[in-house]
Amino acid sequence: MNDQPNRPHQPYDPYGQQPQAPQAWPGQGYQGYEDPQAAQQYTQQWQGQTWETQNHQAVPSAQAPDPETAILTPQSPPQRPAAPAGADAAAPGYGPATVGGNTRLTDAQRARAEGRSPIIEPGMQPAALTALLGLMLAGAAAVGTYALLVPLVVLQAVTAAGWFRLNGMWPARQGIALGFAGALAADAALLASGRSPSAILGTIGVWVLLALVLQLRSHADPDERMYGLMATVAASALAIVAGGYLAAAADAVTVGAVAVAVAVLARALPLPTPASVVVSLLAAAGAGIAAGQVTDLGTSGALLGAGAAACALIGHRVASYDYPSRFVHFTAGVALPLAAAAPAVYVLGRALA
């Protein structure tokens, strides 16, 4: 009998080295023998405080869950402390969190979803400002060419700013400045050329090329550059075309500006749209006759007044489209009726003179 106890079999080392025990996995013993200290060394330890998932109360670390199940147990995030009394009414509301985020609907999108009309007319206050600016143009034209420049420059500046805001581009300082600079260049060219209308066409051509070059140097996306190019060209063209009052005859400017002022005020009356348009055109024709009696146009001022009013109503409609804001109404809503009527005032004034 061999009195020595049975020992675990050790592998034979052919190079004469001491036999080595095979390595075991961390935290485990070999052949049923487990080292508690080694197991504790590789076991995940829960440090600090834990949060109870129901009432979020801090519990001691001795009550930590089992390491093997702690990873699988979802932990609720700590809630924010309650807001003070009366702060809930002023705090903004937030929707539930999502992976992609919550997108806020604009007023225009909400109105489209509800099936409402995209046309919101400026109202009486912008119409009153349009009428005031129109009367200023009419009075300044009767005084002289350089007196006409003062209200004309104001009209051109508001036209450039209002068009960018109407297209949702604000602030767009470079585009507004470029459009206004084109208007000033056209005014200077008109004065230098003896108020020739070719100065307006030439300035528009130059400013289209200038806007194209500036947009090509932009580092924005292609879609944004194209959108900016079109907005800049349109704003510049409208501001430059408003210089047609400077190229037109003084009597035509007086009659046309008075007719636009009366037409816009009549359009702001609380009437159905078809009736409001008819009333505006008739009122503009009557104002044209009245202003024509003061000038040399006579009764032919009715045709000039009606034509200028028709173009002004188109500008009024453009300024009312796509759920415009209050700022749009007080810029584009004020300036576009007068700016759109400028070509009609020049053409009809030359035809009826």
Side-chain angles (χ1 to χ4, degrees), residues 4 106 111 321:
Q4 296 182 354
T106 62
Y321 182 70

Side-chain angles (χ1 to χ4, degrees), residues 255-256 259 284-293 295 297-307 352:
V255 174
I289 293 177
Q293 299 300 324
T295 61
L297 290 177
T299 57
S300 60
L303 180 59
L304 192 152
L352 298 175

Side-chain angles (χ1 to χ4, degrees), residues 170-279:
W170 187 266
R173 299 181 182 90
Q174 294 181 354
I176 295 173
L178 183 63
F180 183 56
L184 295 180
D187 295 343
L190 283 170
L191 294 177
S193 62
R195 301 193 302 178
S196 173
S198 59
I200 296 178
L201 299 178
T203 306
I204 291 177
V206 171
W207 247 250
V208 168
L209 294 178
L210 182 59
L212 180 61
V213 171
L214 292 178
Q215 289 299 326
L216 289 177
R217 297 182 59 187
S218 175
H219 299 287
D221 295 335
D223 294 339
E224 295 181 0
R225 283 187 291 178
M226 180 59 67
Y227 190 66
L229 174 63
M230 299 305 296
T232 304
V233 170
S236 302
L238 287 172
I240 293 172
V241 165
Y245 288 109
L246 195 62
D251 292 343
V253 174
T254 300
V255 174
V258 171
V260 170
V262 174
V264 173
L265 288 176
R267 184 68 178 85
L269 295 176
L271 297 174
T273 300
S276 178
V277 172
V278 173
V279 170

Side-chain angles (χ1 to χ4, degrees), residues 110-157:
R110 183 179 296 106
R112 288 191 183 96
E114 296 174 358
R116 287 184 285 165
S117 173
I119 302 298
I120 299 178
E121 297 179 356
M124 184 57 71
Q125 291 180 352
L129 292 177
T130 303
L132 177 61
L133 188 57
L135 294 178
M136 291 176 61
L137 287 171
V143 173
T145 301
Y146 291 96
L148 181 60
L149 281 175
V150 177
L152 178 60
V153 169
V154 175
L155 172 63
Q156 291 169 331

